[in-house]
Amino acid sequence: MERPAWAPPGIDISVPSVSRIYDYYLGGSHNFEVDREAARKAMQFLPGLPKIMQANRAFMRRAVHYAVGEGVTQFLDIGSGIPTFGNVHEVAQKAEPEARVVYVDHDPVAVAHSQAVLDGNERAGIVQADLRKPAEILGSAEAGRLLDLEQPVALLLVAVLHFLEDADDPMRSVAELRDALAPGSLLVLTHASYEGIPLPKEQAGGAVGVYRDIRNPLVMRSREEIARFFDGFELVDPGLVSMPDWRPDAPAEEDPFAFSGFAGVGRKA
């Protein structure tokens, strides 16, 4: 397999990556054939996956606009993935040029591309770290340089918690991050669920099986389970809803797959 010039040295390009699969769903070009093959297998069971990811990105952009409108201009985006058009720093800094953004991802391809995209942007940075280790994220040089934890921060956990199994104790990770944030901080979250998917659970479960087979288990949680991540936060209207239903800036997306899973924003008291 030929290694593309943009692929960082040292990574195994024969192993699929969830961030590169996500890039493929969004129409990006920074993915390998092994990623595209996994994505196509998942889409055989759940053909609406690209539409779900597009709805996810659209929600993220609306949530960033909401945060800036609420006076929150610091962003910590964990599980940020490979940069694509309309990323957090682009949306936030267009609305507020002084906005600061720290991206976090454990995928070296995502980190390398983030470094390239952010070159020259003194108000945004990338950290290679894992959501399972919040102390490493909060103690990183980029977080220290860009974030004032005495002031409100918007914590983005967008399409990432469903890649943590219960054994990883994702509730602990979210709680550690929450406790480090100042009052008035926001939690911006999306999470996959069987609820809302316009297919039988058994069929959608085939896509979940593809992620399990590539050793990146996708954990589908119920609305009630997802709501627990907001412990210590007060959900803002309209609460925990499908992604197109969270403060739409246009008539709600009609594609039924876009309504799969849940999204919400909470404020720390």
mmCIF file of all heavy atoms in Angstrom, residues 177-226:
data_model
loop_
_atom_site.group_PDB
_atom_site.id
_atom_site.type_symbol
_atom_site.label_atom_id
_atom_site.label_comp_id
_atom_site.label_asym_id
_atom_site.label_seq_id
_atom_site.Cartn_x
_atom_site.Cartn_y
_atom_site.Cartn_z
ATOM 1 N N LEU A 177 -13.518 16.723 33.932
ATOM 2 C CA LEU A 177 -13.463 17.924 33.104
ATOM 3 C C LEU A 177 -14.429 18.979 33.633
ATOM 4 O O LEU A 177 -14.079 20.159 33.742
ATOM 5 C CB LEU A 177 -13.804 17.560 31.649
ATOM 6 C CG LEU A 177 -12.746 16.717 30.937
ATOM 7 C CD1 LEU A 177 -13.343 16.043 29.711
ATOM 8 C CD2 LEU A 177 -11.545 17.566 30.551
ATOM 9 N N ARG A 178 -15.637 18.557 33.987
ATOM 10 C CA ARG A 178 -16.626 19.488 34.541
ATOM 11 C C ARG A 178 -16.097 20.183 35.783
ATOM 12 O O ARG A 178 -16.215 21.411 35.937
ATOM 13 C CB ARG A 178 -17.903 18.720 34.887
ATOM 14 C CG ARG A 178 -18.990 19.562 35.554
ATOM 15 C CD ARG A 178 -19.977 18.661 36.280
ATOM 16 N NE ARG A 178 -19.333 17.965 37.402
ATOM 17 C CZ ARG A 178 -19.665 16.754 37.823
ATOM 18 N NH1 ARG A 178 -20.624 16.065 37.223
ATOM 19 N NH2 ARG A 178 -19.041 16.213 38.851
ATOM 20 N N ASP A 179 -15.485 19.426 36.673
ATOM 21 C CA ASP A 179 -15.030 19.994 37.935
ATOM 22 C C ASP A 179 -13.896 20.993 37.743
ATOM 23 O O ASP A 179 -13.652 21.839 38.606
ATOM 24 C CB ASP A 179 -14.588 18.877 38.880
ATOM 25 C CG ASP A 179 -15.756 18.020 39.349
ATOM 26 O OD1 ASP A 179 -16.910 18.425 39.149
ATOM 27 O OD2 ASP A 179 -15.499 16.926 39.908
ATOM 28 N N ALA A 180 -13.192 20.898 36.604
ATOM 29 C CA ALA A 180 -12.095 21.832 36.336
ATOM 30 C C ALA A 180 -12.579 23.139 35.718
ATOM 31 O O ALA A 180 -11.805 24.103 35.624
ATOM 32 C CB ALA A 180 -11.079 21.184 35.397
ATOM 33 N N LEU A 181 -13.853 23.176 35.310
ATOM 34 C CA LEU A 181 -14.375 24.339 34.597
ATOM 35 C C LEU A 181 -15.057 25.322 35.537
ATOM 36 O O LEU A 181 -15.630 24.944 36.562
ATOM 37 C CB LEU A 181 -15.365 23.887 33.518
ATOM 38 C CG LEU A 181 -14.819 22.924 32.454
ATOM 39 C CD1 LEU A 181 -15.927 22.564 31.469
ATOM 40 C CD2 LEU A 181 -13.626 23.532 31.725
ATOM 41 N N ALA A 182 -15.022 26.582 35.143
ATOM 42 C CA ALA A 182 -15.640 27.642 35.930
ATOM 43 C C ALA A 182 -17.157 27.620 35.768
ATOM 44 O O ALA A 182 -17.678 27.130 34.762
ATOM 45 C CB ALA A 182 -15.090 28.999 35.478
ATOM 46 N N PRO A 183 -17.877 28.147 36.753
ATOM 47 C CA PRO A 183 -19.326 28.320 36.587
ATOM 48 C C PRO A 183 -19.622 29.121 35.318
ATOM 49 O O PRO A 183 -18.871 30.025 34.957
ATOM 50 C CB PRO A 183 -19.733 29.090 37.845
ATOM 51 C CG PRO A 183 -18.686 28.726 38.857
ATOM 52 C CD PRO A 183 -17.407 28.591 38.081
ATOM 53 N N GLY A 184 -20.711 28.761 34.657
ATOM 54 C CA GLY A 184 -21.048 29.406 33.399
ATOM 55 C C GLY A 184 -20.490 28.689 32.193
ATOM 56 O O GLY A 184 -20.831 29.028 31.052
ATOM 57 N N SER A 185 -19.648 27.681 32.435
ATOM 58 C CA SER A 185 -19.115 26.893 31.327
ATOM 59 C C SER A 185 -20.223 26.054 30.694
ATOM 60 O O SER A 185 -21.249 25.762 31.320
ATOM 61 C CB SER A 185 -17.984 25.981 31.815
ATOM 62 O OG SER A 185 -16.846 26.730 32.196
ATOM 63 N N LEU A 186 -20.002 25.672 29.458
ATOM 64 C CA LEU A 186 -20.995 24.918 28.705
ATOM 65 C C LEU A 186 -20.462 23.541 28.323
ATOM 66 O O LEU A 186 -19.281 23.389 28.020
ATOM 67 C CB LEU A 186 -21.374 25.665 27.424
ATOM 68 C CG LEU A 186 -21.943 27.075 27.587
ATOM 69 C CD1 LEU A 186 -22.121 27.730 26.218
ATOM 70 C CD2 LEU A 186 -23.268 27.047 28.340
ATOM 71 N N LEU A 187 -21.331 22.555 28.329
ATOM 72 C CA LEU A 187 -21.030 21.230 27.793
ATOM 73 C C LEU A 187 -21.848 21.052 26.523
ATOM 74 O O LEU A 187 -23.078 21.131 26.551
ATOM 75 C CB LEU A 187 -21.389 20.132 28.801
ATOM 76 C CG LEU A 187 -21.311 18.687 28.272
ATOM 77 C CD1 LEU A 187 -19.904 18.346 27.799
ATOM 78 C CD2 LEU A 187 -21.776 17.698 29.338
ATOM 79 N N VAL A 188 -21.162 20.854 25.404
ATOM 80 C CA VAL A 188 -21.795 20.640 24.101
ATOM 81 C C VAL A 188 -21.560 19.183 23.733
ATOM 82 O O VAL A 188 -20.416 18.748 23.605
ATOM 83 C CB VAL A 188 -21.179 21.574 23.035
ATOM 84 C CG1 VAL A 188 -21.793 21.301 21.663
ATOM 85 C CG2 VAL A 188 -21.354 23.041 23.435
ATOM 86 N N LEU A 189 -22.622 18.422 23.537
ATOM 87 C CA LEU A 189 -22.484 16.973 23.444
ATOM 88 C C LEU A 189 -23.413 16.402 22.382
ATOM 89 O O LEU A 189 -24.561 16.821 22.255
ATOM 90 C CB LEU A 189 -22.800 16.369 24.818
ATOM 91 C CG LEU A 189 -22.695 14.870 25.049
ATOM 92 C CD1 LEU A 189 -22.381 14.606 26.530
ATOM 93 C CD2 LEU A 189 -24.004 14.156 24.692
ATOM 94 N N THR A 190 -22.906 15.437 21.614
ATOM 95 C CA THR A 190 -23.757 14.570 20.802
ATOM 96 C C THR A 190 -23.360 13.126 21.078
ATOM 97 O O THR A 190 -22.224 12.844 21.464
ATOM 98 C CB THR A 190 -23.637 14.842 19.289
ATOM 99 O OG1 THR A 190 -22.315 14.539 18.841
ATOM 100 C CG2 THR A 190 -23.960 16.292 18.957
ATOM 101 N N HIS A 191 -24.319 12.237 20.873
ATOM 102 C CA HIS A 191 -24.070 10.827 21.192
ATOM 103 C C HIS A 191 -24.968 9.953 20.334
ATOM 104 O O HIS A 191 -26.147 10.251 20.129
ATOM 105 C CB HIS A 191 -24.360 10.573 22.673
ATOM 106 C CG HIS A 191 -23.747 9.312 23.208
ATOM 107 N ND1 HIS A 191 -24.120 8.057 22.776
ATOM 108 C CD2 HIS A 191 -22.784 9.109 24.159
ATOM 109 C CE1 HIS A 191 -23.421 7.139 23.433
ATOM 110 N NE2 HIS A 191 -22.607 7.749 24.278
ATOM 111 N N ALA A 192 -24.415 8.858 19.842
ATOM 112 C CA ALA A 192 -25.183 7.901 19.051
ATOM 113 C C ALA A 192 -26.152 7.118 19.928
ATOM 114 O O ALA A 192 -25.894 6.879 21.111
ATOM 115 C CB ALA A 192 -24.236 6.937 18.336
ATOM 116 N N SER A 193 -27.266 6.729 19.312
ATOM 117 C CA SER A 193 -28.282 5.947 20.010
ATOM 118 C C SER A 193 -29.096 5.185 18.973
ATOM 119 O O SER A 193 -29.224 5.621 17.823
ATOM 120 C CB SER A 193 -29.202 6.874 20.820
ATOM 121 O OG SER A 193 -30.237 6.141 21.440
ATOM 122 N N TYR A 194 -29.653 4.062 19.381
ATOM 123 C CA TYR A 194 -30.590 3.381 18.495
ATOM 124 C C TYR A 194 -31.889 4.173 18.378
ATOM 125 O O TYR A 194 -32.623 4.021 17.395
ATOM 126 C CB TYR A 194 -30.898 1.979 19.022
ATOM 127 C CG TYR A 194 -29.794 0.975 18.804
ATOM 128 C CD1 TYR A 194 -29.153 0.355 19.871
ATOM 129 C CD2 TYR A 194 -29.382 0.641 17.507
ATOM 130 C CE1 TYR A 194 -28.148 -0.579 19.667
ATOM 131 C CE2 TYR A 194 -28.364 -0.286 17.303
ATOM 132 C CZ TYR A 194 -27.750 -0.883 18.378
ATOM 133 O OH TYR A 194 -26.742 -1.791 18.162
ATOM 134 N N GLU A 195 -32.168 5.015 19.365
ATOM 135 C CA GLU A 195 -33.391 5.803 19.348
ATOM 136 C C GLU A 195 -33.322 6.833 18.219
ATOM 137 O O GLU A 195 -32.354 7.571 18.080
ATOM 138 C CB GLU A 195 -33.595 6.494 20.698
ATOM 139 C CG GLU A 195 -33.758 5.508 21.841
ATOM 140 C CD GLU A 195 -33.872 6.182 23.203
ATOM 141 O OE1 GLU A 195 -34.556 7.216 23.302
ATOM 142 O OE2 GLU A 195 -33.270 5.667 24.169
ATOM 143 N N GLY A 196 -34.348 6.860 17.419
ATOM 144 C CA GLY A 196 -34.420 7.814 16.323
ATOM 145 C C GLY A 196 -33.975 7.249 14.988
ATOM 146 O O GLY A 196 -34.276 7.831 13.939
ATOM 147 N N ILE A 197 -33.230 6.146 14.984
ATOM 148 C CA ILE A 197 -32.779 5.567 13.712
ATOM 149 C C ILE A 197 -33.983 4.936 13.007
ATOM 150 O O ILE A 197 -34.680 4.104 13.604
ATOM 151 C CB ILE A 197 -31.677 4.519 13.935
ATOM 152 C CG1 ILE A 197 -30.417 5.177 14.522
ATOM 153 C CG2 ILE A 197 -31.329 3.822 12.618
ATOM 154 C CD1 ILE A 197 -29.280 4.221 14.809
ATOM 155 N N PRO A 198 -34.231 5.304 11.757
ATOM 156 C CA PRO A 198 -35.429 4.788 11.059
ATOM 157 C C PRO A 198 -35.222 3.406 10.459
ATOM 158 O O PRO A 198 -35.583 3.151 9.309
ATOM 159 C CB PRO A 198 -35.655 5.851 9.976
ATOM 160 C CG PRO A 198 -34.282 6.327 9.638
ATOM 161 C CD PRO A 198 -33.518 6.318 10.953
ATOM 162 N N LEU A 199 -34.616 2.527 11.238
ATOM 163 C CA LEU A 199 -34.363 1.156 10.814
ATOM 164 C C LEU A 199 -34.550 0.245 12.023
ATOM 165 O O LEU A 199 -34.408 0.692 13.165
ATOM 166 C CB LEU A 199 -32.924 0.998 10.303
ATOM 167 C CG LEU A 199 -32.528 1.656 8.986
ATOM 168 C CD1 LEU A 199 -31.019 1.523 8.781
ATOM 169 C CD2 LEU A 199 -33.291 1.045 7.828
ATOM 170 N N PRO A 200 -34.818 -1.034 11.800
ATOM 171 C CA PRO A 200 -34.860 -1.960 12.935
ATOM 172 C C PRO A 200 -33.512 -1.978 13.661
ATOM 173 O O PRO A 200 -32.452 -1.875 13.035
ATOM 174 C CB PRO A 200 -35.145 -3.317 12.278
ATOM 175 C CG PRO A 200 -35.781 -2.983 10.966
ATOM 176 C CD PRO A 200 -35.146 -1.703 10.525
ATOM 177 N N LYS A 201 -33.579 -2.123 14.968
ATOM 178 C CA LYS A 201 -32.352 -2.141 15.772
ATOM 179 C C LYS A 201 -31.388 -3.213 15.282
ATOM 180 O O LYS A 201 -30.167 -3.015 15.284
ATOM 181 C CB LYS A 201 -32.709 -2.377 17.242
ATOM 182 C CG LYS A 201 -31.513 -2.413 18.181
ATOM 183 C CD LYS A 201 -31.962 -2.591 19.631
ATOM 184 C CE LYS A 201 -30.765 -2.686 20.566
ATOM 185 N NZ LYS A 201 -31.189 -2.853 21.991
ATOM 186 N N GLU A 202 -31.915 -4.350 14.854
ATOM 187 C CA GLU A 202 -31.063 -5.453 14.418
ATOM 188 C C GLU A 202 -30.238 -5.044 13.192
ATOM 189 O O GLU A 202 -29.068 -5.409 13.072
ATOM 190 C CB GLU A 202 -31.916 -6.681 14.093
ATOM 191 C CG GLU A 202 -32.609 -7.300 15.293
ATOM 192 C CD GLU A 202 -33.807 -6.458 15.779
ATOM 193 O OE1 GLU A 202 -34.330 -5.644 14.982
ATOM 194 O OE2 GLU A 202 -34.205 -6.630 16.954
ATOM 195 N N GLN A 203 -30.849 -4.287 12.272
ATOM 196 C CA GLN A 203 -30.108 -3.854 11.085
ATOM 197 C C GLN A 203 -29.069 -2.805 11.447
ATOM 198 O O GLN A 203 -27.915 -2.889 11.031
ATOM 199 C CB GLN A 203 -31.062 -3.292 10.029
ATOM 200 C CG GLN A 203 -30.313 -2.853 8.756
ATOM 201 C CD GLN A 203 -31.248 -2.398 7.652
ATOM 202 O OE1 GLN A 203 -32.439 -2.713 7.662
ATOM 203 N NE2 GLN A 203 -30.717 -1.661 6.691
ATOM 204 N N ALA A 204 -29.472 -1.802 12.239
ATOM 205 C CA ALA A 204 -28.513 -0.778 12.652
ATOM 206 C C ALA A 204 -27.365 -1.400 13.433
ATOM 207 O O ALA A 204 -26.225 -0.935 13.364
ATOM 208 C CB ALA A 204 -29.221 0.283 13.498
ATOM 209 N N GLY A 205 -27.672 -2.467 14.162
ATOM 210 C CA GLY A 205 -26.635 -3.139 14.927
ATOM 211 C C GLY A 205 -25.541 -3.722 14.058
ATOM 212 O O GLY A 205 -24.417 -3.936 14.530
ATOM 213 N N GLY A 206 -25.826 -3.959 12.785
ATOM 214 C CA GLY A 206 -24.791 -4.433 11.881
ATOM 215 C C GLY A 206 -23.686 -3.406 11.709
ATOM 216 O O GLY A 206 -22.501 -3.772 11.624
ATOM 217 N N ALA A 207 -24.056 -2.120 11.670
ATOM 218 C CA ALA A 207 -23.049 -1.060 11.572
ATOM 219 C C ALA A 207 -22.219 -0.998 12.848
ATOM 220 O O ALA A 207 -21.001 -0.796 12.803
ATOM 221 C CB ALA A 207 -23.727 0.286 11.317
ATOM 222 N N VAL A 208 -22.868 -1.181 13.984
ATOM 223 C CA VAL A 208 -22.149 -1.219 15.260
ATOM 224 C C VAL A 208 -21.133 -2.361 15.243
ATOM 225 O O VAL A 208 -20.001 -2.211 15.726
ATOM 226 C CB VAL A 208 -23.138 -1.385 16.429
ATOM 227 C CG1 VAL A 208 -22.402 -1.570 17.749
ATOM 228 C CG2 VAL A 208 -24.068 -0.173 16.516
ATOM 229 N N GLY A 209 -21.517 -3.484 14.636
ATOM 230 C CA GLY A 209 -20.618 -4.618 14.531
ATOM 231 C C GLY A 209 -19.384 -4.327 13.703
ATOM 232 O O GLY A 209 -18.292 -4.831 14.002
ATOM 233 N N VAL A 210 -19.518 -3.492 12.680
ATOM 234 C CA VAL A 210 -18.362 -3.120 11.864
ATOM 235 C C VAL A 210 -17.339 -2.374 12.716
ATOM 236 O O VAL A 210 -16.133 -2.636 12.647
ATOM 237 C CB VAL A 210 -18.795 -2.256 10.660
ATOM 238 C CG1 VAL A 210 -17.573 -1.696 9.933
ATOM 239 C CG2 VAL A 210 -19.652 -3.085 9.698
ATOM 240 N N TYR A 211 -17.807 -1.446 13.541
ATOM 241 C CA TYR A 211 -16.889 -0.702 14.409
ATOM 242 C C TYR A 211 -16.241 -1.627 15.445
ATOM 243 O O TYR A 211 -15.066 -1.466 15.775
ATOM 244 C CB TYR A 211 -17.635 0.448 15.098
ATOM 245 C CG TYR A 211 -17.823 1.641 14.200
ATOM 246 C CD1 TYR A 211 -18.947 1.758 13.395
ATOM 247 C CD2 TYR A 211 -16.868 2.652 14.142
ATOM 248 C CE1 TYR A 211 -19.124 2.855 12.559
ATOM 249 C CE2 TYR A 211 -17.030 3.748 13.322
ATOM 250 C CZ TYR A 211 -18.161 3.833 12.521
ATOM 251 O OH TYR A 211 -18.320 4.916 11.695
ATOM 252 N N ARG A 212 -17.013 -2.583 15.930
ATOM 253 C CA ARG A 212 -16.432 -3.545 16.875
ATOM 254 C C ARG A 212 -15.333 -4.359 16.199
ATOM 255 O O ARG A 212 -14.279 -4.609 16.784
ATOM 256 C CB ARG A 212 -17.528 -4.454 17.411
ATOM 257 C CG ARG A 212 -17.033 -5.460 18.459
ATOM 258 C CD ARG A 212 -18.164 -6.316 18.980
ATOM 259 N NE ARG A 212 -18.792 -7.093 17.924
ATOM 260 C CZ ARG A 212 -20.044 -6.893 17.484
ATOM 261 N NH1 ARG A 212 -20.792 -5.945 18.009
ATOM 262 N NH2 ARG A 212 -20.540 -7.648 16.514
ATOM 263 N N ASP A 213 -15.574 -4.729 14.943
ATOM 264 C CA ASP A 213 -14.597 -5.545 14.219
ATOM 265 C C ASP A 213 -13.294 -4.796 13.965
ATOM 266 O O ASP A 213 -12.234 -5.422 13.833
ATOM 267 C CB ASP A 213 -15.190 -6.018 12.885
ATOM 268 C CG ASP A 213 -16.303 -7.047 13.077
ATOM 269 O OD1 ASP A 213 -16.402 -7.611 14.178
ATOM 270 O OD2 ASP A 213 -17.076 -7.259 12.120
ATOM 271 N N ILE A 214 -13.337 -3.471 13.866
ATOM 272 C CA ILE A 214 -12.102 -2.706 13.659
ATOM 273 C C ILE A 214 -11.539 -2.199 14.996
ATOM 274 O O ILE A 214 -10.681 -1.329 15.030
ATOM 275 C CB ILE A 214 -12.311 -1.527 12.684
ATOM 276 C CG1 ILE A 214 -13.289 -0.488 13.250
ATOM 277 C CG2 ILE A 214 -12.778 -2.028 11.322
ATOM 278 C CD1 ILE A 214 -13.373 0.792 12.425
ATOM 279 N N ARG A 215 -12.039 -2.787 16.076
ATOM 280 C CA ARG A 215 -11.541 -2.521 17.429
ATOM 281 C C ARG A 215 -11.734 -1.063 17.855
ATOM 282 O O ARG A 215 -10.926 -0.502 18.589
ATOM 283 C CB ARG A 215 -10.068 -2.936 17.547
ATOM 284 C CG ARG A 215 -9.875 -4.433 17.295
ATOM 285 C CD ARG A 215 -8.436 -4.855 17.451
ATOM 286 N NE ARG A 215 -8.275 -6.289 17.168
ATOM 287 C CZ ARG A 215 -7.119 -6.925 17.222
ATOM 288 N NH1 ARG A 215 -6.021 -6.265 17.547
ATOM 289 N NH2 ARG A 215 -7.067 -8.213 16.944
ATOM 290 N N ASN A 216 -12.832 -0.481 17.398
ATOM 291 C CA ASN A 216 -13.265 0.833 17.857
ATOM 292 C C ASN A 216 -14.747 0.723 18.203
ATOM 293 O O ASN A 216 -15.607 1.244 17.476
ATOM 294 C CB ASN A 216 -13.042 1.900 16.779
ATOM 295 C CG ASN A 216 -11.595 2.325 16.681
ATOM 296 O OD1 ASN A 216 -11.086 3.080 17.505
ATOM 297 N ND2 ASN A 216 -10.916 1.826 15.656
ATOM 298 N N PRO A 217 -15.066 0.020 19.295
ATOM 299 C CA PRO A 217 -16.472 -0.248 19.607
ATOM 300 C C PRO A 217 -17.304 1.026 19.670
ATOM 301 O O PRO A 217 -16.885 2.042 20.231
ATOM 302 C CB PRO A 217 -16.395 -0.928 20.975
ATOM 303 C CG PRO A 217 -15.024 -1.521 21.026
ATOM 304 C CD PRO A 217 -14.151 -0.558 20.290
ATOM 305 N N LEU A 218 -18.468 0.958 19.048
ATOM 306 C CA LEU A 218 -19.428 2.060 19.058
ATOM 307 C C LEU A 218 -20.525 1.694 20.043
ATOM 308 O O LEU A 218 -21.235 0.699 19.845
ATOM 309 C CB LEU A 218 -19.989 2.268 17.652
ATOM 310 C CG LEU A 218 -21.075 3.321 17.459
ATOM 311 C CD1 LEU A 218 -20.567 4.701 17.848
ATOM 312 C CD2 LEU A 218 -21.564 3.309 16.015
ATOM 313 N N VAL A 219 -20.645 2.470 21.110
ATOM 314 C CA VAL A 219 -21.582 2.151 22.187
ATOM 315 C C VAL A 219 -22.847 2.993 22.013
ATOM 316 O O VAL A 219 -22.817 4.221 22.146
ATOM 317 C CB VAL A 219 -20.951 2.431 23.567
ATOM 318 C CG1 VAL A 219 -21.920 2.033 24.680
ATOM 319 C CG2 VAL A 219 -19.634 1.677 23.713
ATOM 320 N N MET A 220 -23.926 2.327 21.688
ATOM 321 C CA MET A 220 -25.216 3.005 21.537
ATOM 322 C C MET A 220 -25.877 3.098 22.904
ATOM 323 O O MET A 220 -26.149 2.082 23.542
ATOM 324 C CB MET A 220 -26.095 2.229 20.566
ATOM 325 C CG MET A 220 -25.440 1.956 19.222
ATOM 326 S SD MET A 220 -25.187 3.450 18.235
ATOM 327 C CE MET A 220 -26.615 3.372 17.173
ATOM 328 N N ARG A 221 -26.115 4.313 23.366
ATOM 329 C CA ARG A 221 -26.729 4.509 24.680
ATOM 330 C C ARG A 221 -28.128 5.107 24.526
ATOM 331 O O ARG A 221 -28.431 5.778 23.539
ATOM 332 C CB ARG A 221 -25.855 5.412 25.552
ATOM 333 C CG ARG A 221 -24.514 4.770 25.910
ATOM 334 C CD ARG A 221 -23.710 5.594 26.903
ATOM 335 N NE ARG A 221 -22.547 4.842 27.394
ATOM 336 C CZ ARG A 221 -21.308 4.956 26.899
ATOM 337 N NH1 ARG A 221 -21.055 5.822 25.920
ATOM 338 N NH2 ARG A 221 -20.327 4.222 27.373
ATOM 339 N N SER A 222 -28.952 4.873 25.529
ATOM 340 C CA SER A 222 -30.310 5.406 25.519
ATOM 341 C C SER A 222 -30.293 6.894 25.860
ATOM 342 O O SER A 222 -29.298 7.423 26.377
ATOM 343 C CB SER A 222 -31.172 4.656 26.540
ATOM 344 O OG SER A 222 -30.733 4.963 27.862
ATOM 345 N N ARG A 223 -31.399 7.559 25.608
ATOM 346 C CA ARG A 223 -31.508 8.977 25.956
ATOM 347 C C ARG A 223 -31.267 9.183 27.449
ATOM 348 O O ARG A 223 -30.585 10.122 27.859
ATOM 349 C CB ARG A 223 -32.884 9.522 25.564
ATOM 350 C CG ARG A 223 -33.037 11.032 25.773
ATOM 351 C CD ARG A 223 -34.435 11.494 25.402
ATOM 352 N NE ARG A 223 -34.535 12.937 25.482
ATOM 353 C CZ ARG A 223 -34.709 13.626 26.604
ATOM 354 N NH1 ARG A 223 -34.787 12.967 27.776
ATOM 355 N NH2 ARG A 223 -34.787 14.943 26.594
ATOM 356 N N GLU A 224 -31.823 8.300 28.261
ATOM 357 C CA GLU A 224 -31.641 8.406 29.711
ATOM 358 C C GLU A 224 -30.175 8.270 30.098
ATOM 359 O O GLU A 224 -29.666 9.022 30.946
ATOM 360 C CB GLU A 224 -32.472 7.325 30.407
ATOM 361 C CG GLU A 224 -32.374 7.357 31.936
ATOM 362 C CD GLU A 224 -33.222 6.277 32.574
ATOM 363 O OE1 GLU A 224 -33.941 5.560 31.854
ATOM 364 O OE2 GLU A 224 -33.146 6.144 33.816
ATOM 365 N N GLU A 225 -29.472 7.340 29.478
ATOM 366 C CA GLU A 225 -28.044 7.157 29.779
ATOM 367 C C GLU A 225 -27.226 8.365 29.331
ATOM 368 O O GLU A 225 -26.305 8.809 30.023
ATOM 369 C CB GLU A 225 -27.528 5.889 29.094
ATOM 370 C CG GLU A 225 -28.058 4.602 29.710
ATOM 371 C CD GLU A 225 -27.703 3.383 28.878
ATOM 372 O OE1 GLU A 225 -27.748 3.452 27.637
ATOM 373 O OE2 GLU A 225 -27.374 2.340 29.490
ATOM 374 N N ILE A 226 -27.549 8.913 28.176
ATOM 375 C CA ILE A 226 -26.829 10.078 27.661
ATOM 376 C C ILE A 226 -27.066 11.289 28.558
ATOM 377 O O ILE A 226 -26.149 12.075 28.817
ATOM 378 C CB ILE A 226 -27.255 10.365 26.208
ATOM 379 C CG1 ILE A 226 -26.870 9.184 25.310
ATOM 380 C CG2 ILE A 226 -26.612 11.650 25.686
ATOM 381 C CD1 ILE A 226 -27.541 9.201 23.939
#
